[in-house]
Amino acid sequence: MKRNVEVVVISDVHLGTYGCKAKELLRYLNSIQPKTLVLNGDIIDIWQFKKSYFPKPHLKVIKKFLSLATKNTDVFYITGNHDEMFRKFTDFELGKLKVCNKLNLNLDGKKTWIFHGDVFDASVQHSKWIAKLGGKGYDLLIVINNIVNWFLEKMGREKYSFSKKIKNNVKKAVKYIGDFELTASELAIDNGYDYVLCGHIHQPQMREVKNKKGSCLYLNSGDWIENLSALEYHSGNWSIFHYDEHKHNLKDDENDEMQEINNEDLLKIVTQFA
């Protein structure tokens, strides 16, 4: 039985990279029936795209997005920095699928502002090659981390996250995340938004931010590399979905939706944008 959810927001899936948890994401998507699905940037990693690596589960995720858009779900693809090639298709619509750079929603009378968040990242805006190099380094770190975690699981020990350890212990990383959240929240308050939703920093979060001008709820959907998280809005409330907390209740769906789209044809379409 699928859960009905009014709004689901996911970001930083990075399809086409070794760190992407496509199978887990597919299990999650198959467990819900959202009225609105927001893909908030870095869904397909064009920066690190390789024709030699785009496995079937990654293609199945894209098929799932398309399948939802052909049924009763409004799907918004908000562009990020890793899939910035799609920005030339801003305002493109295909059925219930729309490409955009940002999204404004009214949720039960609450003004909602959704965008990826790379606009705050100076390294992306002014030194793109450095950002791309960092992306490759992060992908390699995830690959090594996956190997280490495989051995840890075999030994019955708890998984370990290299990048989380770095983020939580390097002062500059902690400050960057704090500044990011504060900047997004203050801009939202200045513009009269009740909710502001971002991705980009791979840090799931939900917290109220207040200043002299007012307050807003800051939310971040995290990622599907390490945190495997999403934002859900239902019955007037936001929550953060963590895959690891619910994975025992999620099952594989063997039905290959959108059968009319061949995997090879779909890969050709993706390749055209890389």
Side-chain angles (χ1 to χ4, degrees), residues 3-211:
R3 288 189 299 115
N4 290 315
V5 187
E6 291 177 44
V7 182
V8 170
V9 183
I10 64 173
S11 68
D12 301 274
V13 177
H14 294 274
L15 292 168
T17 66
Y18 295 105
C20 173
K21 300 296 189 297
K23 290 181 180 178
E24 290 82 353
L25 175 57
L26 195 60
R27 290 192 192 105
Y28 169 60
L29 292 172
N30 285 330
S31 74
I32 57 174
Q33 186 58 59
K35 290 183 179 178
T36 300
L37 173 64
V38 182
L39 308 174
N40 195 12
D42 289 1
I43 303 302
I44 301 175
D45 199 319
I46 302 297
W47 279 10
Q48 301 180 70
F49 182 85
K50 302 179 186 71
K51 292 182 182 179
S52 59
Y53 187 80
F54 211 93
K56 189 175 180 179
H58 294 220
L59 291 168
K60 279 190 173 184
V61 169
I62 297 176
K63 281 188 177 183
K64 184 63 181 181
F65 294 152
L66 295 173
S67 175
L68 288 168
T70 60
K71 296 177 182 176
N72 299 317
T73 300
D74 292 314
V75 179
F76 295 94
Y77 193 121
I78 300 176
T79 52
N81 48 302
H82 282 254
D83 47 16
E84 62 183 350
M85 290 293 291
F86 294 135
R87 284 179 176 162
K88 56 186 171 185
F89 299 102
T90 298
D91 297 328
F92 169 81
E93 294 186 43
L94 179 63
K96 288 181 172 288
L97 172 66
K98 182 176 181 179
V99 180
C100 50
N101 292 328
K102 60 183 178 181
L103 179 64
N104 295 323
L105 296 176
N106 188 312
L107 300 177
D108 299 314
K110 300 286 188 179
K111 289 181 64 179
T112 306
W113 183 26
I114 309 175
F115 61 101
H116 183 63
D118 58 297
V119 66
F120 300 143
D121 196 336
S123 67
V124 172
Q125 297 298 320
H126 304 295
S127 303
K128 192 171 294 182
W129 69 272
I130 295 177
K132 287 185 177 181
L133 184 62
K136 290 182 183 296
Y138 178 75
D139 199 35
L140 178 60
L141 181 67
I142 294 298
V143 171
I144 297 171
N145 207 160
N146 286 340
I147 295 171
V148 171
N149 282 334
W150 184 85
F151 281 105
L152 288 174
E153 282 189 294
K154 292 295 181 183
M155 292 186 290
R157 297 176 62 181
E158 189 176 345
K159 289 183 179 180
Y160 187 84
S161 173
F162 292 160
S163 68
K164 283 184 182 180
K165 186 70 174 178
I166 293 169
K167 287 178 183 178
N168 292 334
N169 288 277
V170 177
K171 289 183 179 179
K172 284 187 177 181
V174 174
K175 184 178 185 301
Y176 171 76
I177 291 171
D179 289 348
F180 181 97
E181 295 177 353
L182 186 61
T183 300
S185 300
E186 289 183 339
L187 279 172
I189 293 170
D190 287 345
N191 288 280
Y193 289 100
D194 299 288
Y195 306 132
V196 57
L197 284 71
C198 300
H200 188 55
I201 57 174
H202 295 210
Q203 193 81 4
Q205 179 65 275
M206 181 171 65
R207 69 183 181 99
E208 187 177 15
V209 177
K210 295 181 179 180
N211 62 21

